[in-house]
Amino acid sequence: MILNILKLSFSLLLVKIALANQDDDLLRIEKALREIDSVQSSKVPKILVYSKASGFAHKSIPTGIKSLRALANKTKAFLPEFTNDVSDFNKENLQGFDGIIFNNTTRVEKAFLTPDQRNGLLNFIKQGKGFSGFHGASDGGMPKWNEYTEMVGGCFDGHPWNAGGTWPFRVEDTSHPLCRSFSSTTFRFSDEIYQYKGYNRQNLRVLVSLDAKKSGKSGKSPTNDYPVSWVKAYGKGRVFYSNFGHNKASWWTPFILEHFLAGIRWSVRELDGTLESLPLNNKLPSK
């Protein structure tokens, strides 16, 4: 009897240890992925994922890595290779990839120092490949690497809308395949939202924007133009950027993950969708 009690107690202890060691972030990600379907593709694009912060290091970077890995495993939409080594961004190595993802890669100009590294990245996209950037991927470039900002579409210029707030957003292009995960033309969500320098609406297509008037806060834009997700051309290549991704929860919210996935697939030409600029429309529905 005593031996059986000891065995039971030991088994319960092992269960408690196993539960304590579970990755809560990954459990949330896996739960979110139940709502996202697999993808049928004749060719699975290979994508180099870079997650090194050279400025502010977002706590959500490891969560982003876990989420992108799990998203790829679940959907079979792309094959990721993860790196924090800028030496991987040379012409020879990049030949084996279809696209690049930058996951909260702040102050990239401090990491990409040589012409070979900078040209390797930019020429890769110019020549027809894909780039997807999340949140801090726009926190870099100007004034020391203006070409990077030109490629992304804008450079971080502060975040009046902080990470602890819940902000109002508008889907500017409800018919675009990258916006199919949004069930309404307006929604509220908690994340840190940037304003930008080096941004010109005519050079990209805004998909999602902040409804600044309804946010209760003011930024620097005289026209209240605060894009959140967009697509653009860079040479022959395609660029998708989303400001979402500061908060860990963005990486396990199903409709945000679907938006990210569609953007990644669009960047590597697995989805169609126009990149023609949309005019600013402050009369879009808002709540």
Side-chain angles (χ1 to χ4, degrees), residues 54-66:
S54 298
F56 179 81
H58 288 79
K59 293 181 180 179
S60 60
I61 290 175
T63 310
I65 292 171
K66 294 171 191 174

Side-chain angles (χ1 to χ4, degrees), residues 165-201:
T166 299
W167 310 112
F169 300 95
R170 306 184 302 182
V171 181
E172 292 202 20
D173 186 356
T174 56
S175 64
H176 203 283
L178 274 62
C179 296
R180 288 173 183 163
S181 66
F182 301 109
S183 60
S184 173
T185 56
T186 62
F187 65 98
R188 297 182 67 85
F189 191 66
S190 180
D191 212 329
E192 181 184 85
I193 303 304
Y194 292 169
Q195 58 189 358
Y196 302 92
K197 54 189 175 183
Y199 156 73
N200 185 334
R201 176 174 278 260

Side-chain angles (χ1 to χ4, degrees), residues 172-179 199-208 229-234 237-239 266 272-280:
E172 292 202 20
D173 186 356
T174 56
S175 64
H176 203 283
L178 274 62
C179 296
Y199 156 73
N200 185 334
R201 176 174 278 260
Q202 294 181 353
N203 295 334
L204 45 81
R205 187 179 187 88
V206 176
L207 303 176
V208 180
S229 291
W230 64 70
V231 291
K232 69 184 296 290
Y234 186 67
R238 289 181 171 188
V239 172
W266 177 89
D272 291 325
T274 182
L275 39 67
E276 181 182 352
S277 178
L278 286 170
L280 179 62

Side-chain angles (χ1 to χ4, degrees), residues 7 52 54 144-145 148 156-157 193 197 202 258 267:
K7 287 181 178 179
K52 181 181 178 181
S54 298
K144 295 185 177 180
W145 190 11
Y148 178 81
F156 165 79
D157 194 23
I193 303 304
K197 54 189 175 183
Q202 294 181 353
E258 284 191 64
S267 75

Side-chain angles (χ1 to χ4, degrees), residues 72-85:
N73 288 340
K74 166 65 188 298
T75 66
K76 310 302 181 187
F78 62 101
L79 179 64
E81 183 174 309
F82 296 88
T83 185
N84 282 341
D85 188 351

